[in-house]
Amino acid sequence: MRHVGDAVRTGSSALRTLSSVGKGPLVTAVAYAIGAQVGFHLRFPPATTSILWPPNAILTSALLLANPGRWWIYLLAVLPAHLLVQIPVVRPVTMVPLLFITNFSEAIIAASIVRAFSDRPERFDTLRRMTVFIVGAVFLGPVASAFLDAAIVSRMTGEHYWTIWSTRVPANALTELTLVPPAVIVISSGWQRLRDAARSRVVEAVLLGLATAAIAVATFGDHVYRIWPMSGLPAISLAFPLPFVLLAALRFGPAGASMSLTIIATVMIWMGMNGRGPFSTLPPADGVRAVQTFLIVEALPLMCLSAIVQERTKAAADLRRRLKFERLLSHLSTEFVRRPTADIAEHFETCLRRCGEFFGAEEVLLLQAVPAHGEWKVMHSWARRGDASTADGAHWPTPAPFDRARDQDIAVLSDTLTVAALRSGEQIFGGLAIRRSDPGAWGHDDRNRLRLIAEAFANVLARRHGEDERLRAELEAQRSRAELAHVSRQRSMGELTASLAHELNQPLTGILGNAQAARRMLGMSSPNLDELKEVLDDIVADEKRAAETILRIRKWLRKSEFENVPLDLNGVILDVASLLRSDAVIRNLRFDLHLATGPLMILGDPVELRQVILNLLLNAMDAVSNVNPPERTIAVESELTPEGAVHVTVQDSGDGVPRDAIERVFDPFYTTKADGMGMGLSIAKSIVESHQGSIWLAQSVRRGARFEFALPSHESRV
Amino acid sequence: MNRGIRVALIDDDASVRRALIRLLRCAGYEVETYATAADFLGSRATARVDCALVDVRMPGETGFTLVKFLRASGIPMPVILMTGDADVTLTAKAARCGAFALLAKPLTDAALVEAIEVAVVREPPVAAKPPNSR
C-alpha cells in the first residue's frame, strides 16, 4: 500500500501503476466484507450487539497507510463490499448506505487525527505515537461517529438513542485497539521483519502465541474450574493470561501485545458465545459489556507499556550504536592524525575493515575518480569473506550519480551498493563505497555516519595529496637549484680556466724541467748527487702542488646531494680566496681578509657555501676592474655576532651598484654586466636562504658595494 | 755546446725558476733569473743576455707587455714566451708583438734548446723595427 504514494509516473508503466493503486483498495474491500461477516457472528445471542466490529478498524488501517489523496478510491472500492454484505442482513435496506457513511466517518476521523498528530502514523513504537493513536482512533473516532450512528439507527429502527450509542462506542473502540496496530504493523513492515527475523525469534513468538491461546482456552473455557473448583476462580482466572500478554509486550512490543490481546479477546468471546467463561452467568447484554470493558481496561495500559518498552529498547540500541560509531570515528581519526601521512595508506585496510564491521557490510571500497576515463578506480578495499571479488576491476561510471541523488553526498548505485562522496571543497575526487547484503537498510543516521566517515577519509587523502604535491615541488626546486648551481659552477669554472690552466701548468713545468735537468746531470761524468736530491725534492713538491690544484677543481665541479655537515666558514673563505689568488694577481687586485680568529662553525653544504663566496668574490672582482690598479681592493670580513650568527662581509672598492639596480640585484637573470648571466647573486641568495640565513646589499656608495650575509652558527644551536 | 750563450729567465713562480735554471745550465747556458719583468728591466740585463725566456702570465707587467716594451725601445733581444694555455690566438698575438716564439708549458728540453739556439743564431727577424708602425 505504501507503494501507492511512490508509484512511478511514466506512461509506460501505467499498467503497473493501475495494479499497484488498485491492490490496496481491493484488499481492503475483501477484508471489509470478511470483517463484517465476522462482526455479525461475534455476539452473545440473543443480544444483537457485536462485541467486535472489524470493518471500521480495517478501514482505519487502510486510511492510515494510504495517501489521503487516494482515500476516495478506498471509498469506492469498499462500497460494493458493504452493500453486498449488509443488504441481506440489515432492515430496513435504506439504512445500509447510511451505515456505510457512519462506518467511513469513524475511519476518516480516526485516520485524520492520527495523521495530523503522529510523526509516523503507521508506527506505534513510542509513547507519543501510541497516545495519539489511542486518543484519535480508539477514543475520538468511535465516540464521534457513534453520535451519527445512533441518530441514524434510532430514527430507522426506533431503538433508544443512548442505548445504541453506548453499545457502539466500546465495540468500535475495542476493535480499533486490538486490530489496527497488528494490521498496520504487519502490512507496513511486518513481512520484511518476519523474513529478516532470526529463527529463534520466530519460534519464540509462535510458542508464546500458542501458550497464550492455551491458557486462555483453559481459563475462559472453564477447564481450570472443572479441575480445581475453587470458589471465586472464574473472577480470579481473568488474571491468568496476563503474564503471557505482559511477556509478549516486553519481548515483541506493540505488535506482540496487540496480537496476544487479539488471541485472548477471540477466545474469550468464543467461549462466551458458548456460555462459558467468567461472564457466562451474566445476561448476554451485560456479558458483552463486561467482556468489552475488561479487554479495553487490560489493553490500554498494556499497549502503552509495550510502546514505552519499544521506545527504551530502541533508544538503548541507538545509544549503543552511537557509542560504537564514536569509537570507530575516534579510531579512524587517531589513525589518521597519529600516523605520518606517508604511512597512512598501509593502515587504510584496517580502517576499511572497521567501517565494514560497523555497517555490517560485505565489502568496503575506497575509490578514486578517474574523470579522464570516466570511471572509478579502486584504491583500497576490504571484503568480509576476504575475496575482493568486485574490488579488482570494479568500475562504475563517473561522475557518480551524486547530483541525481536526493542527498548530494550519498549515492545509491544499486540495491546493495551505497557510495559516499570524497570531497575536496566542491570537487568530488573519490568515493567510499559500502556493499551490504540487505537492500534498503540505510537509515537517516547511518547515512550521516557514512558521510562523516567519508569526510575523515577525504581529509586525510586530501592532506596526503597536498603533502605529495608540496614534497614534489620542494624536490623539484631543490633539484633545479642544484642544477643551476652546477651550471653556474661550471660557468665560474670556465671563467677560471685560464688561471687554472696556468696554475696547473706551473708545477708541471717545474716537474718536467727538473726531470730533464736531472737526466742531463746523470749524463755528466761526475753527477752532483746533492743537487740531484734537491731536484727530486722539487719534483715531489711540485707534484703535490699539482695534485692539490686538481683536487680543488674536482671539489669544485662535484655535483652532489645536499649535505648538512658542520664546517668552518673561515676555511671555506680561505679555500675560495686561494682558488682565486692567481686570478687576483693577473687582475692586479688585492684581497684583504679579516677573518675571525678561530673556526666559525656552521651547519651546511661545503660545495654550496663555497659557491656563495665565489660568486660574491667574482662579482667584487668584476666591480673593481674599472678602478685604478692600486685601488683595486676586496675586503672580506667574518665574525661571530653576539646574537650567535656567523656574519660575512664582502666589500669592494668598485663603483657600487647602480641605483636603479639596487632593488633587483638578487633577482635571477638580472645583470648589469655585458656578458653576465644574472645568476650569481640569485644563486647565492637561494643557497644562503636554504641554510636559514639571509643575504643583503648593505651599502652601495661611490666607493663600492658591500654585500653581507649571515648564517646561524652551529655552536649557537647546540 | 757551451758557446757562452746567456739566457734571462723571467717567471714569478720560484719552483719553475729553479727547475728551468737547472735545465738550462745542464744544457750549457748561463742563466740569470728574475721574478718580474720590472726586476729584469731594472737590472739592465738587456745588455748582457742573448735571449729572454719569459712567462706570459705574471703579476704586474705580463710577458706580452715586456716584448712590446723591448720592441718599442729598439732592443733587438729575442724573446721566447712561455704559457700554460697556449692556443692559436695567443701564438698569433705573440708573433704580432714581436716575440720570437711561444712555447707551451710544460716545456720539453728539446723544444726549449732548439728555440734558444735558433733565436740566438738568427738575429731577431724584426730587429729595430718598431712594432707600433704596423
Side-chain angles (χ1 to χ4, degrees):
Chain A
M1 288 189 181
R2 280 212 304 169
H3 305 152
V4 173
D6 301 330
V8 190
R9 292 140 205 92
T10 50
S12 65
S13 52
L15 204 66
R16 246 178 63 205
T17 309
L18 198 66
S19 81
S20 79
V21 167
K23 210 163 85 185
L26 204 68
V27 170
T28 310
V30 171
Y32 184 93
I34 296 171
Q37 289 293 345
V38 171
F40 284 138
H41 287 96
L42 289 181
R43 290 182 297 155
F44 289 172
T48 53
T49 337
S50 297
I51 301 165
L52 287 172
W53 183 242
N56 299 4
I58 288 166
L59 270 177
T60 307
S61 308
L63 298 190
L64 277 180
L65 291 168
N67 188 326
R70 299 182 184 275
W71 282 2
W72 61 273
I73 303 176
Y74 287 80
L75 192 122
L76 289 182
V78 170
L79 183 59
H82 177 83
L83 299 177
L84 207 68
V85 176
Q86 297 264 27
I87 287 172
V89 184
V90 177
R91 291 291 174 272
V93 177
T94 47
M95 198 166 72
V96 171
L98 297 172
L99 285 179
F100 180 72
I101 294 171
T102 64
N103 285 358
F104 229 95
S105 69
E106 180 188 330
I108 286 176
I109 291 168
S112 304
I113 293 173
V114 175
R115 276 187 166 275
F117 292 99
S118 175
D119 55 337
R120 299 288 291 270
E122 80 284 8
R123 291 170 76 158
F124 309 92
D125 51 1
T126 69
L127 187 59
R128 190 193 142 78
R129 290 168 188 163
M130 184 59 89
T131 308
V132 169
F133 168 71
I134 287 173
V135 171
V138 179
F139 181 70
L140 291 177
V143 167
S145 68
F147 287 114
L148 189 61
D149 206 357
I152 292 167
V153 175
S154 67
R155 173 69 59 88
M156 293 281 187
T157 62
E159 283 179 62
H160 187 249
Y161 183 91
W162 288 109
T163 312
I164 301 164
W165 188 88
S166 62
T167 53
R168 289 289 204 247
V169 171
N172 288 342
L174 181 61
T175 325
E176 295 276 354
L177 192 56
T178 51
L179 261 187
V180 175
V184 170
I185 290 170
V186 164
I187 291 168
S188 66
S189 64
W191 296 124
Q192 181 69 40
R193 282 236 303 260
L194 206 64
R195 215 175 49 194
D196 296 344
R199 190 167 292 273
S200 60
R201 287 279 285 173
V202 176
V203 170
E204 185 187 350
V206 169
L207 285 181
L208 192 58
L210 288 177
T212 310
I215 195 75
V217 168
T219 46
F220 302 143
D222 297 339
H223 300 293
V224 177
Y225 185 70
R226 235 170 277 147
I227 300 163
W228 184 24
M230 192 181 101
S231 62
L233 189 69
I236 296 165
S237 68
L238 282 173
F240 286 2
L242 194 62
F244 294 89
V245 187
L246 270 177
L247 195 60
L250 289 178
R251 296 287 296 155
F252 297 97
S258 56
M259 283 288 198
S260 60
L261 281 168
T262 308
I263 291 172
I264 288 171
T266 311
V267 172
M268 210 170 178
I269 292 163
W270 183 262
M271 292 304 165
M273 284 162 66
N274 293 310
R276 294 183 192 176
F279 309 117
S280 54
T281 53
L282 300 175
D286 292 348
V288 168
R289 191 157 305 149
V291 168
Q292 287 170 335
T293 310
F294 166 74
L295 286 172
I296 289 175
V297 166
E298 187 169 271
L300 280 177
L302 269 169
M303 295 301 280
C304 291
L305 176 72
S306 67
I308 292 170
V309 168
Q310 186 95 342
E311 199 172 4
R312 289 286 149 85
T313 314
K314 191 170 175 304
D318 281 352
L319 189 66
R320 260 202 313 277
R321 195 158 166 76
R322 207 164 66 215
L323 287 176
K324 211 171 143 197
F325 176 71
E326 269 160 26
R327 269 205 305 279
L328 169 67
L329 208 59
S330 85
H331 169 83
L332 291 183
S333 51
T334 346
E335 282 286 312
F336 291 165
V337 169
R338 201 187 55 204
R339 307 256 180 216
T341 310
D343 294 353
I344 283 174
E346 294 174 27
H347 300 276
F348 272 161
E349 267 157 48
T350 321
C351 297
L352 294 182
R353 175 175 59 77
R354 309 250 333 214
C355 294
E357 283 165 359
F358 177 79
F359 286 114
E362 293 301 310
E363 200 171 34
V364 184
L365 308 168
L366 200 56
L367 307 167
Q368 190 181 13
V370 191
H373 300 112
E375 59 188 17
W376 297 91
K377 203 180 82 196
V378 176
M379 290 193 287
H380 299 274
S381 67
W382 169 84
R384 180 185 295 282
R385 284 180 244 292
D387 53 340
S389 54
T390 56
D392 299 320
H395 295 298
W396 294 289
T398 185
F402 290 115
D403 39 359
R404 269 189 280 136
R406 239 178 320 175
D407 207 328
Q408 288 274 311
D409 277 358
I410 306 270
V412 179
L413 288 185
S414 73
D415 272 0
T416 54
L417 194 68
T418 303
V419 183
L422 299 182
R423 274 181 188 279
S424 169
E426 282 304 298
Q427 196 204 352
I428 292 173
F429 66 89
L432 181 66
I434 305 243
R435 187 189 292 285
R436 282 190 187 177
S437 54
D438 55 333
W442 285 95
H444 180 257
D445 288 344
D446 272 1
R447 282 166 162 263
N448 273 339
R449 287 172 183 142
L450 180 59
R451 188 175 305 129
L452 279 173
I453 289 176
E455 218 167 88
F457 272 99
N459 285 344
V460 74
L461 284 170
R463 194 181 89 204
R464 192 176 62 161
H465 183 69
E467 275 182 29
D468 283 355
E469 283 290 297
R470 211 176 57 228
L471 201 67
R472 214 175 48 72
E474 251 168 41
L475 282 176
E476 182 69 22
Q478 216 170 46
R479 201 171 59 80
S480 63
R481 203 185 63 217
E483 262 171 20
L484 203 57
H486 181 65
V487 167
S488 143
R489 265 202 301 279
Q490 280 181 324
R491 203 183 119 80
S492 335
M493 219 42 226
E495 286 171 6
L496 294 175
T497 318
S499 61
L500 278 173
H502 177 74
E503 228 176 285
L504 202 54
N505 276 321
Q506 290 296 77
L508 291 180
T509 307
I511 290 168
L512 192 60
N514 275 318
Q516 292 173 37
R519 203 172 57 196
R520 282 175 186 266
M521 287 176 187
L522 286 172
M524 293 172 183
S525 49
S526 54
N528 182 342
L529 289 183
D530 287 341
E531 203 179 350
L532 271 173
K533 192 172 162 296
E534 273 173 33
V535 168
L536 292 175
D537 286 346
D538 273 0
I539 290 177
V540 170
D542 271 339
E543 194 280 334
K544 270 191 189 147
R545 193 151 66 106
E548 274 165 22
T549 305
I550 290 169
L551 198 68
R552 266 211 310 270
I553 298 168
R554 284 194 49 195
K555 250 161 58 176
W556 202 261
L557 284 177
R558 176 176 59 96
K559 182 186 180 221
S560 63
E561 297 302 308
F562 186 84
E563 274 186 274
N564 210 24
V565 294
L567 55 94
D568 174 17
L569 198 62
N570 278 344
V572 175
I573 296 172
L574 288 171
D575 252 15
V576 176
S578 77
L579 184 79
L580 291 174
R581 194 185 49 219
S582 73
D583 233 41
V585 165
I586 289 156
R587 298 198 198 190
N588 258 312
L589 55 88
R590 201 173 69 244
F591 285 131
D592 289 335
L593 301 185
H594 307 286
L595 303 186
T597 50
L600 284 179
M601 297 308 290
I602 56 158
L603 268 185
D605 185 287
V607 176
E608 293 205 337
L609 289 168
R610 219 175 277 136
Q611 184 75 46
V612 173
I613 310 275
L614 177 75
N615 290 0
L616 288 177
L617 292 188
L618 283 177
N619 249 26
M621 286 161 80
D622 286 341
V624 297
S625 60
N626 292 334
V627 299
N628 289 329
E631 289 161 13
R632 293 176 187 172
T633 56
I634 294 166
V636 182
E637 288 174 35
S638 71
E639 59 167 349
L640 182 65
T641 67
E643 292 80 36
V646 171
H647 185 260
V648 175
T649 307
V650 177
Q651 164 89 55
D652 65 55
S653 59
D655 292 338
V657 181
R659 181 170 302 187
D660 58 334
I662 288 176
E663 296 281 305
R664 305 184 56 195
V665 281
F666 290 108
D667 289 356
F669 304 111
Y670 181 79
T671 182
T672 56
K673 301 181 218 165
D675 59 347
M677 212 162 79
M679 292 314 295
L681 286 174
S682 95
I683 287 169
K685 181 174 156 74
S686 88
I687 292 173
V688 167
E689 284 174 355
S690 78
H691 283 76
Q692 282 86 48
S694 50
I695 185 166
W696 63 96
L697 173 59
Q699 188 189 329
S700 175
V701 293
R702 184 73 195 86
R703 292 312 316 145
R706 188 164 86 221
F707 285 93
E708 297 182 8
F709 71 91
L711 297 169
S713 160
H714 186 39
E715 274 92 355
S716 74
R717 289 189 199 173
V718 181
Chain B
M1 224 184 181
N2 190 343
R3 285 171 285 142
I5 296 175
R6 199 169 186 86
V7 178
L9 172 63
I10 304 149
D11 196 317
D12 61 316
D13 191 312
S15 165
V16 171
R17 283 204 303 274
R18 278 209 305 282
L20 291 184
I21 290 170
R22 289 184 188 119
L23 182 60
L24 290 169
R25 284 190 179 150
C26 288
Y29 302 110
E30 287 173 40
V31 187
E32 295 177 14
T33 63
Y34 303 92
T36 66
D39 286 355
F40 168 68
L41 292 174
S43 70
R44 308 222 167 262
T46 43
R48 297 191 297 273
V49 299
D50 302 299
C51 159
L53 194 57
V54 185
D55 189 20
V56 170
R57 212 175 169 94
M58 286 186 298
E61 277 73 38
T62 66
F64 288 119
T65 324
L66 180 61
V67 181
K68 283 181 192 162
F69 178 79
L70 292 175
R71 295 293 162 268
S73 318
I75 301 172
M77 179 202 299
V79 175
I80 300 169
L81 291 172
M82 310 178 286
T83 182
D85 50 349
D87 59 16
V88 180
T89 335
L90 220 54
T91 312
K93 188 177 173 190
R96 257 203 326 274
C97 293
F100 176 73
L102 181 78
L103 297 180
K105 278 182 172 177
L107 314 147
T108 62
D109 57 352
L112 184 60
V113 169
E114 190 194 344
I116 294 172
E117 291 296 320
V118 174
V120 173
V121 170
R122 267 210 282 147
E123 282 300 300
V126 287
K129 187 178 181 186
N132 288 347
S133 67
R134 294 191 171 197

